[in-house]
Amino acid sequence: MTAAEFLYEVVGKRRDVRSEFTGEPVDPEVLRRVLTAAHQAPSVGLSQPWDFVLVEDGGTRRAFHGHVQAERARFAGSLSGAAAKVFDGIKIEGVLDAPLSIVVTYDPARGAPAVLGRHAIADAGLYSVCLAIQNLWLTATAEGLGVGWVSFYREEFVRELLGIPAHVRPVAWLCVGPVERLAEVPDLERAGWRSRMALDEVLHTERW
């Protein structure tokens, strides 16, 4: 298999994991490789505006899990009919199933005030953090780890829980760990929440 073929295979295998964690610990050397790859992501003005908070403590993860379940209930309360029924059967996180959480943050003050390339697009720094997350996700997949991005939380809660400075934004709470397998079909598609769109449905030439 060529390097290109392997990369395409990893991209195709990557999943947002919620249910398949084995609970086994992450090998420290593997974790270091994955974090190194994340830290090698391109960033606007070479600002590298990310930090990675490793969370293994059971008490911290239980506190976050409780917050997530409250947010899940809040969202569920906004649904009705078929959507409510489908959502009721969807598992939204693996906070207590995965042995490790990695919280990725964005520091807009990193490299400021003159961040080369950010003067016209304020969110360019946030985009940089997302590139680091993608690097982490793909290399974790290549290493046989699953990753799940938890988005049912309030930033203020995570900031206080982890002692994150007021000006730093928590961007992603990632559940990370060895998995039994990676699902062939993404969870939300399998559950009937949404179906994937074909490339041609979102492809434009020259103009919208």
Side-chain angles (χ1 to χ4, degrees):
M1 181 182 295
T2 66
E5 289 171 335
F6 179 72
L7 178 58
Y8 283 118
E9 180 181 30
V10 170
V11 169
K13 286 175 60 177
R14 186 214 62 81
R15 290 288 178 268
D16 195 351
V17 177
R18 301 176 179 89
S19 303
E20 292 82 12
F21 292 109
T22 66
E24 297 174 1
V26 178
D27 183 285
E29 293 184 5
V30 172
L31 176 60
R32 187 74 182 183
R33 288 198 295 268
V34 168
L35 290 172
T36 297
H39 190 56
Q40 290 174 331
S43 60
V44 64
L46 198 58
S47 55
Q48 297 180 294
W50 47 71
D51 283 272
F52 307 99
V53 183
L54 308 182
V55 183
E56 294 181 290
D57 180 74
T60 302
R61 290 189 290 124
R62 284 191 294 274
F64 179 66
H65 179 262
H67 173 70
V68 168
Q69 292 309 306
E71 289 299 324
R72 177 199 169 93
R74 180 178 300 190
F75 179 69
S78 71
L79 302 175
S80 62
K85 184 176 182 180
V86 172
F87 182 69
D88 186 57
I90 294 176
K91 182 177 174 64
I92 61 166
E93 47 74 31
V95 177
L96 302 182
D97 303 295
L100 171 68
S101 290
I102 302 176
V103 179
V104 188
T105 63
Y106 169 50
D107 183 355
R110 187 84 46 84
V115 178
L116 190 156
R118 200 178 71 182
H119 76 286
I121 304 176
D123 286 338
L126 185 60
Y127 302 158
S128 300
V129 173
C130 291
L131 290 173
I133 294 168
Q134 182 75 327
N135 273 17
L136 186 156
W137 210 323
L138 291 177
T139 52
T141 301
E143 293 278 7
L145 300 175
V147 178
W149 187 328
V150 185
S151 57
F152 280 73
Y153 66 82
R154 301 289 168 168
E155 292 184 11
E156 316 86 72
F157 179 89
V158 173
R159 189 177 286 114
E160 181 176 351
L161 180 67
L162 301 182
I164 297 171
H167 74 282
V168 174
R169 182 178 181 182
V171 176
W173 186 297
L174 305 175
C175 303
V176 181
V179 290
E180 298 171 358
R181 60 183 178 80
L182 291 173
E184 291 290 329
V185 179
D187 286 358
L188 296 185
E189 188 170 3
R190 194 169 63 250
W193 182 257
R194 284 186 64 88
S195 297
R196 287 194 177 200
M197 300 171 68
L199 171 61
D200 287 341
E201 294 181 69
V202 297
L203 185 61
H204 309 268
T205 301
E206 305 296 351
R207 295 176 60 84
W208 188 281

